[in-house]
Amino acid sequence: MTTYPHKALLLALATATVAASLTATATAAPAAARPAPAAPRLDWHRCTQPDALAAQECAELPVPLDYDDPDGRQLTIAVSRIRSDRPEARRGTLVVIPGGPGGSGVQRLTQKGDALRRELAGAYDLVAFDPRGVGASTTASCDLAPEDRYLTSLRSWPGPNGEITENIDRSRRIAAACARNGGPELRSFTTANQVRDMDRFREALGERKLSAWGTSYGTYVGAVYAQKYPRHTDRWVLDSSGDPDPKRVARGWLANMSQGAADRFPDFAAWATHPDRDRDGLRLAAAAQEVEPLVVSLAARLDREPKTTTTPGVPLTGNGLRQALQNALYADAAFASFARLVRAAQDPAGIPVLPRELAAPIRNEDAALMVGVICNDVAWPDTSTASYRRAVDADRARYPLTAGMPVNVLPCSFWQTPAQKPVRITDDGPSNILMIQSRRDPATPLSGGLKMREALGDRARLVTVEQGGHGLYLGNGNACGDRAVTEFLTSGRRPARDTDCPN
């Protein structure tokens, strides 16, 4: 075990089978057995995407397809940076780690670059990259049929009354298609490789250490990096963390979404019954306790009678409404659009406008990445159909808003077992991590975030924000939480102990 000067201060805190070709290819080589090739030179140039910031530069980073064969075939990772506009204040490099799996780091930097520059006052060069399978990096495709690439299909929502036969058939079909068509690229889409690629990026930047801001799935990437490369971490921020349990990983994150939706929905119910909603015609009920039965009943009606929408051939189904709700719970700013969808679905003459993410199939490359990472990262149990039915029935009864989706069957249940085990997050490492977590997060509930906190021990401090939503810093949080993160990144000061940020 690595020893650090503060080690005596550490506290013990309480916080699916198809072709064999789907075995993950990239396992960790012993550090002394095969040295990595020399860090490549990055050829920076002005980013060409239309929404790129004026100060944003882009480059391409070659990385091994298989880190056991570092001199073999190389993949391309799209990287981006915004250099500090105050060189005299610069203290290092901050990597922005996106959520997902499937989030684009380059796009995230475009979205948050200006806000980060204002907050951090030139303290960092800001950098990010598109993970394997994302954006301008090397991608793969399972060549799925369009009907298998809708978000309501990939999320495996049960049918009316909890029927899962179609989910099982689709999951087998997707797993088989990925085995046939995904190739070695898809098999290399893992959190472990994203972490290795991030360290390769650090080397190419010429940095001894990185600071980081990871959000959602990016917190797991950040935690794994800090576990594997602790001496290369400077100031580390984990924003909206899930349970890092190495036996479950994404399976656990999905299951926890039932509790997350239940934690968060009262915020929407309070908003949807406030008298201020009357002026926009968006008040859904007279009292907050009436809103959940209304939404659950409406979804059941749409299960029986899907409603024609403005998108030809794509009706609003009960699962479409449920998925739209999950998306809306991420941020208060999305409440109004969901309320309008409910109103249009209730109106016999209304023609709902589907949210963009539900109106068309997801790109084949994006679908492959979404499925590939969660299935490659950890072996999913060989669970019987009867067991899935029981789990879905129990979850539907306890959490009507999510209707059994979080515990339902996925292609991972028919995926070849990965060749490597996930990293176990521990308290072994420098005490340089700040966690920030919403008390009412629909995707990574506080109960899961506390598991990450427990695993990290005295390496971390936790700021719990009394604001519902997902992804807090410079987004859905509050001024107190933003100050805590900015203070840590700019000065290195964290709260002496875990603390709350009230609204």
Side-chain angles (χ1 to χ4, degrees), residues 36-291:
R41 177 179 177 274
L42 295 172
D43 182 15
W44 294 105
H45 54 83
R46 175 75 183 272
C47 295
T48 57
Q49 60 266 35
D51 58 349
L53 301 176
Q56 191 170 3
E57 297 176 289
C58 289
E60 293 184 343
L61 172 72
V63 298
L65 169 68
D66 182 348
Y67 275 89
D68 272 352
D69 183 16
D71 296 315
R73 183 182 164 197
Q74 303 291 294
L75 304 183
T76 297
I77 300 297
V79 301
S80 186
R81 74 176 179 186
I82 300 174
R83 303 188 76 173
S84 169
D85 55 355
R86 294 178 56 193
E88 73 283 359
R90 182 187 180 277
R91 64 166 309 277
T93 294
L94 176 78
V95 59
V96 176
I97 312 174
S104 164
V106 174
Q107 185 63 31
R108 181 76 170 162
L109 185 58
T110 300
Q111 294 166 347
K112 294 296 185 179
D114 284 342
L116 284 168
R117 293 179 98 188
R118 287 192 300 270
E119 282 290 309
L120 303 181
Y124 296 93
D125 289 344
L126 308 173
V127 302
F129 65 98
D130 285 352
R132 301 176 184 220
V134 176
S137 295
T138 299
T139 59
S141 171
C142 296
D143 196 20
L144 303 179
E147 59 268 23
D148 289 340
R149 289 187 277 113
Y150 281 89
L151 188 53
T152 48
S153 301
L154 291 169
R155 274 289 175 91
S156 208
W157 289 93
N161 302 315
E163 178 53 52
I164 67 169
T165 299
E166 184 177 352
N167 302 129
I168 291 171
D169 291 344
R170 180 182 295 116
S171 293
R172 289 185 186 275
R173 188 165 64 241
I174 290 174
C178 290
R180 287 193 308 271
N181 305 317
E185 295 86 0
L186 179 63
R187 298 192 293 273
S188 80
F189 295 169
T190 64
T191 299
N193 275 337
Q194 183 171 339
V195 165
R196 295 182 184 106
D197 294 345
M198 191 164 113
D199 199 57
R200 187 84 170 133
F201 188 25
R202 175 194 62 79
E203 292 173 341
L205 291 167
E207 296 286 356
R208 187 173 64 87
K209 291 185 175 184
L210 293 172
S211 292
W213 169 36
T215 304
S216 192
Y217 166 68
T219 65
Y220 180 65
V221 175
V224 173
Y225 185 96
Q227 189 70 39
K228 290 179 66 68
Y229 304 106
R231 295 190 182 278
H232 295 317
T233 63
D234 188 5
R235 297 173 185 172
W236 224 245
V237 176
L238 305 183
D239 180 346
S240 304
S241 300
D243 183 352
D245 181 355
K247 295 179 181 178
R248 303 177 76 200
V249 195
R251 185 165 58 93
W253 305 335
L254 283 166
N256 287 345
M257 289 180 69
S258 298
Q259 183 64 58
D263 291 345
R264 173 65 163 148
F265 189 80
D267 290 341
F268 172 72
W271 179 93
T273 54
H274 194 281
D276 285 353
R277 306 290 87 78
D278 284 329
R279 61 189 171 212
D280 298 318
L282 298 180
R283 191 173 185 186
L284 300 184
Q289 62 268 27
E290 299 172 6
V291 179

Side-chain angles (χ1 to χ4, degrees), residues 471-494:
L472 299 183
Y473 184 53
L474 306 181
N476 298 311
N478 63 16
C480 169
D482 286 355
R483 281 195 303 270
V485 174
T486 298
E487 173 75 6
F488 172 58
L489 289 176
T490 54
S491 73
R493 290 189 292 270
R494 297 179 305 178

Side-chain angles (χ1 to χ4, degrees), residues 420-450:
Q420 57 187 346
K421 293 182 179 181
V423 170
R424 184 171 67 91
I425 305 304
T426 75
D427 62 0
D428 184 19
S431 185
N432 61 355
I433 299 172
L434 179 68
M435 295 177 59
I436 185 165
Q437 195 86 17
S438 168
R439 192 169 292 281
R440 300 181 305 281
D441 187 318
T444 54
L446 181 61
S447 55
L450 290 175

Side-chain angles (χ1 to χ4, degrees), residues 340-466:
R340 289 190 192 95
L341 187 66
V342 170
R343 280 296 195 210
Q346 290 175 316
D347 183 356
I351 303 178
V353 178
L354 290 175
R356 183 177 62 180
E357 62 272 16
L358 300 182
I362 294 169
R363 287 194 329 148
N364 248 308
E365 294 82 359
D366 296 337
L369 186 281
M370 287 174 60
V371 174
V373 173
I374 66 172
C375 297
N376 287 334
D377 264 4
V378 67
W380 289 52
D382 184 13
T383 303
S384 69
T385 298
S387 295
Y388 272 117
R389 285 200 173 102
R390 287 193 296 271
V392 166
D393 288 345
D395 211 58
R396 283 170 62 84
R398 186 175 181 186
Y399 300 107
L401 291 169
T402 46
M405 177 274 291
V407 297
N408 200 6
V409 64
L410 285 173
C412 306
S413 297
F414 307 103
W415 211 263
Q416 180 66 30
T417 301
Q420 57 187 346
K421 293 182 179 181
V423 170
R424 184 171 67 91
I425 305 304
T426 75
D427 62 0
D428 184 19
S431 185
N432 61 355
I433 299 172
L434 179 68
M435 295 177 59
I436 185 165
Q437 195 86 17
S438 168
R439 192 169 292 281
R440 300 181 305 281
D441 187 318
T444 54
L446 181 61
S447 55
L450 290 175
K451 295 293 187 180
M452 179 73 85
R453 176 69 186 88
E454 176 186 0
L456 290 169
D458 197 52
R459 297 185 70 184
R461 301 290 183 272
L462 172 64
V463 176
T464 304
V465 177
E466 299 289 344

